Amino acid sequence: MAQKKQAAKKPIATKKAAVQKTERKTQPKTESKPSVSESELLLQSLRGMRDILPDEQPYWERVRRSISNAAQEYGYSRIEVPMVEYLHLFVRSIKEGTDIIDKELYSFTTRGGDRVALRPEFTAGIARAYIQHGMSVLPKPIKLFSMGPVFRYDRPQEGRYRELWQGNFDVFGEDDPILDAQVIQLAYRVVRELGLKDIEFQVNSIGVPESRKRYEKALVRYLESQKHKLCQNCRERLSTNPMRILDCKEDKCIQLTSQAPQALDFLDDESRAHFKSLLEYLDELELPYSINPRLVRGLDYYTRTVFEIWSSDREGKKYALGGGGRYDNLIQELGGEPTPAIGFGLGLDRIVLEMKRVHAKPHEPVRPRVFLAQLGDLAKKKSLRLFSDLEKNGILVAESFGRGSLKAQLRVASRLGVEVTIILGQKEALDETAIVKDMISGTQETVRQDKLTDAVKKILKSNVQLSHSSPKN
Ligand code: AMP
């Protein structure tokens, strides 16, 4: 125990040797290069990294909005942490023996000689910020949320990228299981609100380090005797991170571990009571959860509650959409005060994939109801000012300033289905007037430019009233 405390007090910036070892390990093997010339390569995004083009953005926008709204409703404050941190922060938090550190970390040495890494997840950076900025003096619980890209040098395929986006939630300063339940409720709220229905929540408890150690021993004892049946990776994990074997997707490993001892049977009394309360809260919330005794999560810092959110595609393809758990010792291990904490991350890329699969609605941007057309040099000059006056008055305006022909501009207006078209010709530009055409009734009038906003608003308002009073079919 005393020994453990000492280890916990070590400042973050130590363990040079471990860092160097990890750095060596995390230097990715050179990939076999595709046979394309250097100039062709310059015009391709890196493998596993992709552009999210405007066409796809409405889905992303809906997810981003949904996450931000939920965060606000549940009392989370936004925090931004850098994408790059000292390498040893991740090594100290997530630990060697995990895939994220051993195989997937993007790490490099800067020109100044600092060994740094791109964040593979948010929690380590947020825990660092919590300590660095003395947040422990703030009233508890402290709820923080962030959203952005993280980087993992994983083997790319559909739904698995090297740059991926996560929405991340962390709560510091409470160990009551009601927080665990509320965090799961929040994750559920986000995915349901996005229209994802076939969702499964898996929960488990992996206890505290002492009970975990006892469990790991029993697991290793069981697996050692049948080591030859494990895949090569898992044979290595047996000495580095045996619990990770439960996560392996290889059939032979799944078969072997299905009979393995379970973490739940090794829990200490407090962890067992904690888990029982959590389940009671989840029952009370009527959330569709199941207990998955194999669920351990890949990161080393978790204690007690762990959970994952899965899409349950009937065609057999399943994606983890998010996951998280308690990490009651992390802050102290990094050199801060003992601070219980819980958090989770949602994978935006996978959520977008799932939304498309179930035909969930993307975000619908507000469409402009007004078009501004101009004809002639003077009118063209004045049109930018007019556009900005209307926009300042809360009127969203579409335009096609680059086109000279009125006919071409009106074609755009009609394609957009606007309700009002404002036409500024040479004469109107000189008179400081504009023609306002009601596209629904077909009537038009010339109004003074300083009265333009009122005239446009009047038509838009009467259209809204009209659509409300018209019988529904
Ligand atoms: P993790 O903390 O590893 O469980 O990651 C949280 C969530 O991020 C996962 O449930 C996935 O939705 C998503 N995620 C993790 N790795 C990737 C990846 N390589 N590509 C896309 N999404 C990922």
Side-chain angles (χ1 to χ4, degrees):
M1 193 68 195
Q3 230 180 3
K4 186 140 192 50
K5 266 207 171 128
Q6 246 183 8
K9 283 277 176 299
K10 270 186 197 161
I12 298 177
T14 55
K15 292 207 169 176
K16 197 171 165 195
V19 167
Q20 279 171 340
K21 196 169 129 218
T22 303
E23 216 183 26
R24 271 198 304 277
K25 268 201 218 169
T26 53
Q27 293 309 327
K29 286 188 201 100
T30 320
E31 275 177 7
S32 56
K33 293 259 177 354
S35 56
V36 278
S37 72
E38 211 166 81
S39 61
E40 273 175 304
L41 268 178
L42 278 177
L43 292 177
Q44 288 176 11
S45 53
L46 291 175
R47 188 158 174 249
M49 303 206 174
R50 63 207 179 113
D51 306 308
I52 299 165
L53 297 175
D55 268 2
E56 222 190 328
Q57 287 294 340
Y59 287 97
W60 285 80
E61 185 59 16
R62 179 145 181 229
V63 180
R64 285 191 293 255
R65 280 172 187 245
S66 188
I67 289 178
S68 304
N69 291 345
Q72 216 174 357
E73 280 157 20
Y74 278 70
Y76 286 73
S77 307
R78 181 141 190 165
I79 182 170
E80 303 291 352
V81 290
M83 282 184 217
V84 189
E85 300 268 3
Y86 285 112
L87 170 62
H88 57 238
L89 173 70
F90 300 118
V91 178
R92 286 282 304 259
S93 318
I94 302 165
K95 306 245 166 68
E96 294 183 299
T98 56
D99 285 355
I100 286 190
I101 294 297
D102 292 353
K103 300 185 182 148
E104 298 170 6
L105 207 60
Y106 276 88
S107 58
F108 56 96
T109 303
T110 64
R111 285 168 190 266
D114 291 324
R115 287 189 294 271
V116 300
L118 301 186
R119 64 182 179 203
E121 50 101 56
F122 275 94
T123 298
I126 288 170
R128 193 261 314 132
Y130 179 92
I131 301 169
Q132 182 177 338
H133 301 288
M135 288 192 218
S136 60
V137 297
L138 300 175
K140 311 280 187 327
I142 299 157
K143 298 180 169 183
L144 302 174
F145 117 88
S146 38
M147 190 158 36
V150 304
F151 303 85
R152 297 181 184 179
Y153 198 83
D154 210 341
R155 195 155 32 89
Q157 52 180 259
E158 200 199 19
R160 196 195 287 160
Y161 310 106
R162 289 178 172 173
E163 181 184 29
L164 57 131
W165 282 69
Q166 286 189 345
N168 186 81
F169 297 79
D170 289 290
V171 186
F172 295 94
E174 292 271 8
D175 61 6
D176 194 310
I178 194 163
L179 258 295
D180 305 40
Q182 197 189 29
V183 153
I184 294 175
Q185 181 189 32
L186 166 58
Y188 186 68
R189 143 93 170 70
V190 173
V191 290
R192 274 314 297 260
E193 213 250 342
L194 289 170
L196 310 183
K197 294 193 187 80
D198 302 330
I199 295 299
E200 207 183 288
F201 273 76
Q202 300 182 352
V203 294
N204 194 20
S205 176
I206 53 171
V208 292
E210 292 75 27
S211 58
R212 199 168 145 167
K213 240 177 246 149
R214 272 185 290 143
Y215 171 57
E216 273 185 353
K217 245 189 196 162
L219 183 65
V220 171
R221 209 177 308 126
Y222 168 81
L223 294 172
E224 270 296 352
S225 59
Q226 306 176 67
K227 199 173 168 177
H228 59 283
K229 294 186 190 160
L230 289 170
C231 73
Q232 184 54 39
N233 258 347
C234 285
R235 265 179 244 168
E236 278 168 33
R237 286 175 181 145
L238 207 49
S239 55
T240 54
N241 192 354
M243 275 167 70
R244 198 75 178 108
I245 297 174
L246 299 172
D247 258 355
C248 183
K249 306 286 177 282
E250 296 271 338
D251 283 343
K252 51 185 179 183
C253 298
I254 293 178
Q255 216 171 354
L256 190 59
T257 53
S258 62
Q259 304 300 320
Q262 300 186 352
L264 284 177
D265 295 328
F266 290 78
L267 292 186
D268 55 293
D269 290 346
E270 266 185 60
S271 296
R272 191 172 303 117
H274 193 275
F275 190 52
K276 186 167 169 273
S277 299
L278 166 64
L279 299 186
E280 283 165 7
Y281 285 123
L282 294 180
D283 287 337
E284 186 66 30
L285 287 168
E286 295 181 22
L287 291 185
Y289 74 88
S290 59
I291 298 174
N292 177 1
R294 304 166 59 91
L295 178 64
V296 289
R297 309 269 302 137
L299 286 63
D300 204 66
Y301 53 59
Y302 287 115
T303 48
R304 293 196 173 147
T305 309
V306 285
F307 69 96
E308 274 181 357
I309 307 151
W310 286 81
S311 69
S312 42
D313 176 355
R314 297 211 167 81
E315 289 128 42
K317 206 163 189 191
K318 279 182 160 200
Y319 280 124
L321 302 179
R326 272 209 164 268
Y327 50 97
D328 289 343
N329 299 330
L330 180 63
I331 297 288
Q332 191 180 13
E333 278 179 14
L334 291 179
E337 292 169 19
T339 311
I342 179 162
F344 71 98
L346 291 172
L348 272 64
D349 306 75
R350 301 234 181 120
I351 289 179
V352 166
L353 272 177
E354 185 63 11
M355 281 174 74
K356 288 183 175 171
R357 189 184 71 80
V358 301
H359 306 292
K361 269 204 229 142
H363 170 69
E364 275 185 31
V366 183
R367 282 187 19 212
R369 298 166 70 196
V370 178
F371 189 88
L372 173 58
Q374 39 73 34
L375 187 67
D377 287 347
L378 186 62
K380 192 168 183 172
K381 263 189 204 131
K382 301 268 178 198
S383 55
L384 274 181
R385 161 81 57 84
L386 215 53
F387 176 91
S388 119
D389 287 348
L390 287 158
E391 175 265 314
K392 271 191 230 148
N393 278 290
I395 299 173
L396 198 58
V397 186
E399 42 70 29
S400 183
F401 288 153
R403 285 169 212 240
S405 132
L406 186 61
K407 210 166 150 198
Q409 291 178 68
L410 294 181
R411 254 202 313 271
V412 178
S414 124
R415 184 161 39 82
L416 293 173
V418 294
E419 294 160 47
V420 177
T421 299
I422 301 166
I423 303 165
L424 192 66
Q426 192 74 0
K427 177 172 179 308
E428 289 76 26
L430 281 168
D431 295 351
E432 301 209 337
T433 58
I435 298 168
V436 176
K437 182 166 181 181
D438 181 335
M439 305 294 278
I440 294 176
S441 67
T443 57
Q444 67 177 54
E445 59 174 336
T446 301
V447 299
R448 277 184 19 216
Q449 283 179 13
D450 58 354
K451 298 274 181 250
L452 185 60
T453 307
D454 292 341
V456 171
K457 279 189 174 167
K458 201 168 139 203
I459 301 176
L460 295 179
K461 200 168 156 199
S462 73
N463 284 350
V464 170
Q465 281 164 354
L466 210 75
S467 72
H468 282 316
S469 60
S470 60
K472 291 193 172 63
N473 47 18

